[in-house]
Amino acid sequence: MRSAPRRGPGQRPAGGRDDRLARPPRGGRPAIDPAREVAYEAVAAVHRDDAYANLVLPRLLRENGVSGRDAAFATELTYGALRQTGTLDAIVAAAADRAVERIDPPVRDALRIGAYQLLHMRVGAHAAVATTVDLVRSLVPGAAGFANAVLRRVGESDRAEWMQRLAPADPAARAALVHAHPQWIVNAFTDALGSLDEAELALDADNLPAAVHLCARPGRIATADLAASLRGATVGRYSPYAVILSGGGDPGSIPAIREGLAHVQDEGSQLVAAVLASAPLDGPDERWLDLCAGPGGKAGLLGAIAAERGAHVTAVEVAHHRAALVAQATKGLPVYTINADGRDVGKDPDLPLGAFDRVLVDAPCTGLGALRRRPEARWRRQPSDLPPLTRLQRELLQAAFSAVRPGGVVAYVTCSPHQAETEVSVTEAARRSPIDVDLVDARPYLPSSLPEIGSGPTVQLWPHRHGTDAMFVALLRRSA
């Protein structure tokens, strides 16, 4: 019988992933620092299983009993290694003298967290190398020497020296490496902001941990009271409902959230939802529609505002499990959740034509505006994702034009600054619609203190300008 071909330490088998290593063996392993092990398990789950860091990391911390300073260390290491993946891979490849695709996935992920400690954290070089080599030894024993050699080469230079050595001459390509974003995202930010210099500020902001923002539901709890009830919390700068938490912790443990008085929501998301509620209307103002409601943050805010005005919200979500989340998130509010496709306006009896006074289209998008909160997303998204998403966005927006009554208003919102998903989607949807709509300047319905919101009529928020996710909003009124 022919024996299997031998491969060098750390080298990936020709057939792809070694499933034998999908979960490291427990017996006889070297003692591994729990915080680093949790970070490795989280990073590996993201790359191996397409997991989401914000979901898998809290579970791993809880299951492994990691808390306090160790949990903070594991969190920084996990999120940092995921944000910096592309740049770390370039450095590891240079130090290993081989493409990272040729390194076994478990070893590759361990090298990423080792390199991140060496280049980004205040961890001694010996500790960073030794603990990572122990980790590799527990995963792939024959690759320990390889990992030791690679990490020692990584540690011979600091990050600035590596950037000087590896960064290409092209300014956009250099920015992509230095700021750890794919170049197509660098180009998209540059197009939206008008200059690479400012785009680099936005890229930098994506690499900073984002604070947790809460929304105090109007009529349920005053914003100042919510802030006063939480240690170290402050009232937001712009949204009348925003409270900013300092430090970590589990928002789900906050009594106001458990009791439905508040929910977790970026301040920018609060602002763009409030634009819809603030626009003046002639005639009735009782029937509101959230056409893409999952997981329910904006429906929760709109429902609370609607309750104060004697209005009610129909919340539509196409995915059954997300519709359940919306129903749970809006419990006790005048929100009626239906599991349906928002494009079925005029076909679904709950979505009659021309029946709604206000309509929100919080459209599915690439999520490029929330990369600081979703560290793995920048490496998962591809330019090929744009055509199906922009087609869906335009179809949903046209459905909203059909759903809103003459004189009513539609707010189109995306958590992306990519112009194909913002200005172009709005323009194309309006151009192709048989229903006449007019763009309304959204700026008067945002706080006057909000800086740098452009010349209108649409508004694009940015982390580096406003401290919010990069939310976009366009306001349109159906012609009478």
Side-chain angles (χ1 to χ4, degrees), residues 16 59 77 144-145 160 187 192 240 297 302 330 336 393 435 469-470 478:
R59 176 179 60 79
L77 183 51
N187 294 338
L302 290 176
T330 58
Y336 171 54
Q393 290 159 8
I435 296 171
D469 291 347
R478 179 171 175 175

Side-chain angles (χ1 to χ4, degrees), residues 119 154-167:
L119 301 173
V154 170
E156 288 173 358
S157 303
D158 63 20
R159 188 178 187 278
E161 292 168 333
W162 276 114
M163 292 301 93
Q164 186 175 6
R165 188 183 313 172
L166 298 178

Side-chain angles (χ1 to χ4, degrees), residues 87 104 160 354 377 382:
T87 302
D104 263 340
Q382 302 294 330

Side-chain angles (χ1 to χ4, degrees), residues 289-380:
L289 174 64
D290 184 347
L291 209 55
C292 317
K298 295 182 183 67
L301 175 54
L302 290 176
I305 297 172
E308 293 189 305
R309 300 188 192 174
H312 63 274
V313 180
T314 299
V316 182
E317 174 53 47
V318 67
H320 185 271
H321 71 285
R322 286 169 63 87
L325 292 176
V326 175
Q328 180 62 35
T330 58
K331 189 176 180 179
L333 297 172
V335 178
Y336 171 54
T337 303
I338 63 172
N339 181 200
D341 191 324
R343 293 170 291 183
D344 286 343
V345 171
K347 302 174 186 176
D348 190 305
D350 289 314
L351 298 174
L353 295 169
F356 297 92
D357 306 305
R358 301 178 188 270
V359 180
L360 174 67
V361 182
D362 183 17
C365 67
T366 56
L368 301 186
L371 296 181
R372 60 188 187 146
R373 299 188 187 278
R374 299 168 190 159
E376 67 281 338
R378 70 186 69 178
W379 310 112
R380 283 184 177 167

Side-chain angles (χ1 to χ4, degrees), residues 53-141:
N54 66 318
L55 299 179
V56 73
L57 180 60
R59 176 179 60 79
L60 288 168
L61 292 171
R62 185 173 60 254
E63 290 177 353
N64 289 274
V66 177
S67 61
R69 294 178 63 184
D70 285 343
F73 179 89
T75 299
E76 180 183 353
L77 183 51
T78 300
Y79 276 69
L82 291 171
R83 287 189 188 100
Q84 295 287 328
T85 293
T87 302
L88 293 173
D89 283 358
I91 294 170
V92 166
D97 195 27
R98 69 176 64 167
V100 290
E101 292 77 14
R102 294 182 54 230
I103 301 174
D104 263 340
V107 179
R108 184 168 65 217
D109 284 329
L111 290 173
R112 285 165 172 158
I113 66 171
Y116 186 82
Q117 292 172 74
L118 286 167
L119 301 173
H120 292 271
M121 299 180 75
R122 300 173 76 175
V123 175
H126 175 76
V129 173
T131 55
T132 305
V133 170
D134 284 344
L135 176 60
V136 170
R137 185 175 289 112
S138 74
L139 299 166
V140 187

